Amino acid sequence: MDATLHHPGASTERNPDADHTPFGVHPRRLDAVDNVAVKSPDPVPPSPAPRALDWRVYADATCAGLTPLIPLPFLDLAAEAVFRRRIPGAVAQARGVELAPGATRLLSRGHEQWLSLDGCLKIPLFVFKYVAKKLWRKVIYVFAIADAVEQTSLYWHRAFLTDHIIRGGHASAGADLDRTGRVALETLRRSDTGALKTLAKTLIRQSGRILRTLRRSRRQGAEAHTTEFEAFFREHWTTNQRSLFSVAVLYNDLYEGSLDAPPRHPAPPPPDCVTPPRHRR
């Protein structure tokens, strides 16, 4: 599917200059300008367009990605949850958007789902695997660094996707939050969220006192205590936002496809429709 998605009722004729714009983005889709939310959401948000970096979108996400470096098991999970829950609110504040009730909880859910029966049955196994893995990797710190590299790249993509969803109006009042949540999680599952591992690895190697930064950011807010991370991320922003575009494009495709999908649960028959009884032979 073409990554360029048009407004309903707009002309479907392809602009010959589209492929010559940055990243192949259609000029008509550059209506999501910096720090301005799209007021009337389309069935899918506008296609991603190059924009200036707003560090408020990525400050908490970067801290969440670096939490595997915390040497105490379960404390790293708690810190990750704190930063993850702050991401939607920070993005909404940066974009001047008021989120719908429940949108923050929906957009801050963990990558794993434990609400289903199958998920609940996996909790004991998860706890056992987590403890065994973390104890081993805290002893050998290089493995913790590898986890932090992978998780930081994942959270950068997640923050970009959250920004894309909020800018597109899919977390505002009147939006189908259930559909938004399902498509967002499916997007993260299908995306190559490890595309920025090299950047994350360089950030960890060049940054000092990461644990102190995480501790202060958790207590006082990430934006004020991550200026070193911001300077590094800003230096590489123009190049690396290309990779982040992929999650927004995939979200648009999956969301558009979900509009044509049949209902998750078949509707019950009308009250006046009576199924004839089966006759026994």
Side-chain angles (χ1 to χ4, degrees):
M1 177 179 176
D2 192 347
T4 302
L5 299 172
H6 301 276
H7 287 285
S11 172
T12 58
E13 181 179 357
R14 184 175 180 85
N15 189 325
D17 297 327
D19 292 334
H20 299 287
T21 56
F23 311 119
V25 178
H26 197 288
R28 295 182 181 179
R29 300 306 295 168
L30 301 183
D31 49 3
V33 296
D34 294 325
N35 298 323
V36 177
V38 179
K39 301 302 182 182
S40 300
D42 289 338
V44 292
S47 299
R51 61 177 64 100
L53 171 66
D54 190 327
W55 179 243
R56 291 174 292 179
V57 175
Y58 299 95
D60 287 292
T62 302
C63 291
L66 295 174
T67 53
L69 298 177
I70 297 176
L72 299 177
F74 294 107
L75 184 59
D76 57 346
L77 280 183
E80 179 192 352
V82 169
F83 291 123
R84 184 179 67 240
R85 291 166 185 160
R86 291 177 181 173
I87 295 173
V91 174
Q93 184 178 11
R95 301 309 180 197
V97 175
E98 182 177 354
L99 298 180
T104 298
R105 177 185 56 81
L106 180 144
L107 293 176
S108 62
R109 289 187 300 183
H111 312 303
E112 299 289 344
Q113 293 298 301
W114 308 111
L115 298 181
S116 64
L117 176 60
D118 182 58
C120 291
L121 294 176
K122 292 180 179 179
I123 291 179
L125 178 61
F126 166 79
V127 173
F128 174 79
K129 291 175 61 178
Y130 169 80
V131 172
K133 174 183 176 182
K134 288 298 181 180
L135 287 177
W136 172 251
R137 295 204 167 199
K138 299 306 181 185
V139 173
I140 305 181
Y141 192 67
V142 66
F143 290 148
I145 294 178
D147 286 345
V149 166
E150 182 175 358
Q151 187 162 294
T152 301
S153 179
L154 166 63
Y155 268 101
W156 283 338
H157 285 81
R158 177 167 183 152
F160 187 92
L161 177 60
T162 301
D163 186 29
H164 178 69
I165 290 171
I166 290 176
R167 290 167 66 94
H170 280 201
S172 301
D176 187 344
L177 296 181
D178 183 59
R179 186 188 302 273
T180 296
R182 294 198 311 269
V183 176
L185 287 178
E186 184 64 21
T187 300
L188 291 175
R189 292 191 188 102
R190 295 193 186 187
S191 297
D192 177 17
T193 57
L196 297 182
K197 285 183 178 180
T198 301
L199 183 66
K201 184 183 297 184
T202 305
L203 171 67
I204 294 173
R205 288 178 175 176
Q206 293 184 1
S207 301
R209 301 178 178 179
I210 291 180
L211 295 181
R212 186 177 71 173
T213 299
L214 294 179
R215 183 172 63 254
R216 291 183 174 180
S217 297
R218 180 181 179 182
R219 295 176 179 175
Q220 304 171 11
E223 182 184 358
H225 296 284
T226 55
T227 54
E228 182 181 2
F229 298 160
E230 177 186 3
F232 175 85
F233 198 72
R234 187 177 298 279
E235 181 182 352
H236 299 82
W237 170 246
T238 302
T239 302
N240 288 288
Q241 67 173 317
R242 295 169 180 258
S243 172
L244 300 173
F245 278 17
S246 61
V247 292
V249 174
L250 179 57
Y251 174 87
N252 283 7
D253 289 345
L254 293 178
Y255 195 94
E256 186 176 46
S258 71
L259 297 175
D260 301 327
R264 300 182 68 188
H265 302 288
D272 56 346
C273 294
V274 179
T275 304
R278 295 184 179 179
H279 298 283
R280 296 182 179 179
R281 296 182 178 179

